[in-house]
Amino acid sequence: MQKKLFRLDGPVRIEPRRIGDDRGHFMETYRDDWFRENVADVSFVQDNQSFSALAGTIRGLHFQLPPHGQGKLVRCLSGAIFDVAVDMRPQSPTFGKWISETLTSENAYQLWVPPGFAHGFCTLAPDTQVSYKVTCFYNPSYDRGVAFDDPDIGISWPVDLSKATLSAKDRAQPRLFSLR
């Protein structure tokens, strides 16, 4: 596996190595010793999976407050996503800044979104399935979100936002600076 760092300290793109032949390919998608040495020394407690029927579905931006902050290792099983991480660490010099990565079933990239970052994605293809490992169980008392279209964050989503499919919860999330 290889990794790519971003301009923000924390998120990491992971590129599994594919071994292919005339049957198809094989790849390790997660290896605990490599991940701990090269990305983060964490334990994963749960795997989650989502399915989005329509291209242009936005999920997020979600995070959990300490001490129940979740790190997420995200990968796209089918279809494609524009995956986003936003720095929500109040004392961070990059608070409110974001990075993105396109994850597809073809490129097999994964995105590590550490605790302290909000996470969200937009589907780029119909029938998209996303899987992610998390470092902490979901705790509704610590569940938070921030507006996907907050101009203070300024995410350049790759879809017409007036036509995006969102949950009622995601349409009503607060603005970034009301959370600081």
Side-chain angles (χ1 to χ4, degrees), residues 81-154:
I81 62 172
F82 176 79
D83 205 24
V84 176
V86 179
D87 190 347
M88 298 301 296
R89 301 170 295 181
Q91 305 308 316
S92 172
T94 57
F95 175 80
K97 303 293 184 201
W98 62 279
I99 60 92
S100 68
E101 189 64 53
T102 299
L103 309 181
T104 71
S105 55
E106 288 79 29
N107 69 23
Y109 294 165
Q110 297 176 68
L111 183 64
W112 165 244
V113 180
F117 282 75
H119 173 253
F121 62 85
C122 176
T123 59
L124 302 174
D127 300 327
T128 294
Q129 291 192 61
V130 176
S131 175
Y132 50 100
K133 297 179 167 305
V134 295
T135 60
C136 191
F137 296 112
Y138 174 72
N139 187 316
S141 298
Y142 292 82
D143 181 40
R144 297 294 185 275
V146 63
F148 73 96
D149 59 350
D150 188 328
D152 291 323
I153 299 172

Side-chain angles (χ1 to χ4, degrees), residues 5-176:
L5 303 177
F6 294 92
R7 60 184 166 81
L8 301 183
D9 184 36
V12 177
R13 181 179 80 192
I14 299 161
E15 303 173 14
R17 185 173 66 101
R18 289 186 183 190
I19 301 167
D21 60 23
D22 58 348
R23 299 169 296 168
H25 68 267
F26 169 85
M27 64 184 164
E28 288 182 350
T29 60
Y30 176 76
R31 187 176 161 129
D32 188 71
D33 59 343
W34 184 90
F35 193 87
R36 288 177 186 272
E37 183 177 323
N38 292 282
V39 180
D41 189 11
V42 298
S43 296
F44 293 102
V45 299
Q46 182 176 313
D47 285 1
N48 299 327
Q49 187 167 327
S50 74
F51 171 78
S52 299
L54 301 175
T57 298
I58 295 177
R59 294 181 183 263
L61 302 161
H62 306 139
F63 63 101
Q64 286 191 174
L65 296 173
H68 297 282
Q70 287 184 322
K72 297 178 181 177
L73 180 58
V74 184
R75 63 185 258 216
C76 185
L77 301 176
S78 64
I81 62 172
F82 176 79
D83 205 24
V84 176
V86 179
D87 190 347
M88 298 301 296
R89 301 170 295 181
Q91 305 308 316
S92 172
T94 57
F95 175 80
K97 303 293 184 201
W98 62 279
I99 60 92
S100 68
E101 189 64 53
T102 299
L103 309 181
T104 71
S105 55
E106 288 79 29
N107 69 23
Y109 294 165
Q110 297 176 68
L111 183 64
W112 165 244
V113 180
F117 282 75
H119 173 253
F121 62 85
C122 176
T123 59
L124 302 174
D127 300 327
T128 294
Q129 291 192 61
V130 176
S131 175
Y132 50 100
K133 297 179 167 305
V134 295
T135 60
C136 191
F137 296 112
Y138 174 72
N139 187 316
S141 298
Y142 292 82
D143 181 40
R144 297 294 185 275
V146 63
F148 73 96
D149 59 350
D150 188 328
D152 291 323
I153 299 172
I155 296 171
S156 299
W157 295 102
V159 296
D160 179 346
L161 295 183
S162 68
K163 296 178 182 173
T165 302
L166 288 113
S167 69
K169 174 184 173 182
D170 288 344
R171 286 196 185 280
Q173 295 289 6
R175 300 257 321 252
L176 176 70

